[in-house]
């Protein structure tokens, strides 16, 4: 057997094993999504969105409190995390480019992306919940914001770094100060990429349960008071899935379907924006 034939055989084996591994992962992805789709669509109803939960053991009711609470917590987390992430990425890409400080912060951000969310939930519990002696929606928003910040920061840094330096120099030549160059020139060139990072960070936190168990806890009643416990879809799904009632299980499937649909929509929108802006 010649060396060339041996290389071809090794290449074929490696390609075959890689393909089998990809098919194995794809099978479970389709299986999980299909299971959520089949059970979730069958449990959808208008009552799920417009009625609050009924006492345990009774049939009917909905998850209006959980939908509203999830939106409030996610929106508040976005208001907290996105500005911090964008400003941090701007500092790394514009003011600290190439410095040791920027490299250290970038590495720490990459580490933070991989940190288990339950660790962040425990941290926010120790910092905000325990000293104040009660759970709150704001604590849940802070926990999700901490998860969002490194994602937005790294995406902003990468997108701003893609803007050619010559464009900045052209703006400097016209007499524009640096902050106006960043706001009116650099941000416009990287706006699509930054928006994509924001959408992906929202998709990242939309399905988190562990941080909210430690922070916002849950609420069986409708409440918009972020200073107290607030219901959320993810925690409600966890509690209903562990419950003994079939009606709870059906509502948990429907809520899982809605969260899955929301995350898929955000991810697809982010990918489409990236392809539209940078595909060429």
């Amino acid at each position: 057997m010649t060396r060339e034939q041996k290389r071809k055989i090794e290449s074929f084996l490696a390609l075959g094993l890689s393909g089998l591994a990809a098919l194995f992962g794809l099978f479970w992805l389709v299986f999980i999504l299909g299971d959520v789709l089949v059970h979730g669509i069958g449990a959808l109803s208008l009552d799920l969105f417009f009625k609050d939960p009924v006492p345990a053991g009774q049939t009917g009711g909905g998850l209006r409190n959980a939908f509203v609470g999830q939106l409030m917590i996610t929106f508040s987390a976005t208001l907290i995390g996105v500005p911090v992430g964008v400003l941090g990425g701007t500092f790394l890409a514009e003011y600290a480019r190439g410095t040791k400080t920027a490299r250290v912060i970038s590495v720490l951000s990459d580490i933070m992306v991989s940190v288990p969310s339950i660790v962040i939930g425990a941290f926010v519990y120790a910092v905000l919940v325990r000293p104040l002696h009660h759970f709150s929606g704001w604590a849940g928003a802070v926990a999700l914001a901490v998860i969002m910040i490194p994602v937005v920061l790294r995406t902003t840094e990468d997108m701003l770094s893609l803007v050619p330096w010559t464009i900045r120099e052209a703006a400097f030549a016209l007499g524009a100060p640096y902050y106006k160059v960043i706001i009116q020139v650099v941000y416009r060139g990287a706006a699509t990429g930054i928006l994509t990072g924001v959408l992906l960070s929202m998709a990242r936190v939309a399905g988190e349960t562990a941080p909210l168990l430690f922070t916002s806890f849950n609420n069986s009643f409708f409440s918009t008071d972020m200073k107290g416990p607030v219901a959320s879809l993810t925690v409600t799904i966890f509690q209903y899935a562990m419950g003994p009632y079939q009606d709870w299980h059906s509502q948990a499937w429907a809520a899982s379907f809605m969260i899955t649909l929301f995350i898929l929509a955000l991810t697809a929108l982010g990918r489409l924006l990236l392809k539209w802006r940078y595909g060429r």
Side-chain angles (χ1 to χ4, degrees):
M1 181 182 297
T2 63
R3 184 177 298 178
E4 182 179 356
Q5 290 175 333
K6 185 178 180 180
R7 286 201 302 267
K8 287 183 178 180
I9 293 174
E10 291 175 350
S11 176
F12 177 79
L13 290 175
L15 184 61
L17 291 174
S18 301
L20 288 175
L23 288 175
F24 181 76
L26 186 63
F27 167 77
W28 289 110
L29 175 63
V30 173
F31 177 79
I32 293 172
L33 291 178
D35 205 32
V36 172
L37 183 67
V38 171
H39 290 87
I41 289 182
L44 286 177
S45 65
L46 290 178
D47 290 345
L48 186 76
F49 302 97
F50 295 105
K51 288 187 177 181
D52 293 327
V54 296
Q58 297 184 13
T59 59
L63 299 177
R64 183 185 65 147
N65 62 332
F67 279 104
V68 174
Q70 187 76 33
L71 289 174
M72 289 194 305
I73 294 174
T74 304
F75 181 72
S76 300
T78 303
L79 291 180
I80 297 170
V82 169
V84 175
V86 171
L87 292 176
T90 302
F91 171 77
L92 296 181
E94 300 295 330
Y95 296 99
R97 177 180 295 195
T99 63
K100 186 177 180 180
T101 302
R103 290 193 295 270
V104 171
I105 296 177
S106 297
V107 172
L108 292 176
S109 298
D110 292 334
I111 295 174
M112 283 294 297
V113 172
S114 304
V115 170
S117 59
I118 193 171
V119 176
I120 296 174
F123 169 76
V124 176
Y125 171 83
V127 173
L128 289 180
V129 177
R130 191 171 181 180
L132 298 177
H133 305 291
H134 64 86
F135 299 98
S136 68
W138 287 118
V142 170
L144 297 186
V146 172
I147 299 174
M148 296 178 69
I149 286 172
V151 179
V152 178
L153 186 146
R154 292 292 289 134
T155 305
T156 302
E157 180 187 4
D158 293 339
M159 293 301 106
L160 294 182
S161 299
L162 291 176
V163 179
W165 188 258
T166 52
I167 295 180
R168 296 175 177 83
E169 292 178 340
F172 292 148
L174 296 175
Y178 200 1
Y179 75 93
K180 282 192 176 181
V181 173
I182 294 173
I183 295 173
Q184 299 182 6
V185 178
V186 181
Y187 277 168
R188 288 188 179 183
T192 306
I194 295 173
L195 178 60
T196 301
V198 173
L199 293 177
L200 294 178
S201 67
M202 292 175 64
R204 167 77 169 82
V205 302
E208 290 291 347
T209 304
L212 300 184
L213 280 170
F214 286 90
T215 52
S216 63
F217 196 58
N218 203 15
N219 195 337
S220 299
F221 304 96
F222 183 84
S223 175
T224 58
D225 183 12
M226 291 286 285
K227 296 179 181 179
V230 176
S232 60
L233 274 180
T234 51
V235 177
T236 302
I237 290 170
F238 170 75
Q239 293 182 344
Y240 277 24
M242 298 292 289
Y245 309 110
Q246 182 59 39
D247 196 54
W248 280 16
H249 297 167
S250 299
Q251 292 184 4
W253 278 114
S256 300
F257 171 74
M258 294 306 302
I259 286 183
T260 303
L261 190 65
F262 177 72
I263 294 174
L264 287 176
L266 284 181
T267 305
L269 180 60
R271 298 297 181 184
L272 289 174
L273 285 174
L274 273 180
K275 185 176 181 181
W276 170 73
R277 180 64 178 84
Y278 301 104
R280 297 186 294 271

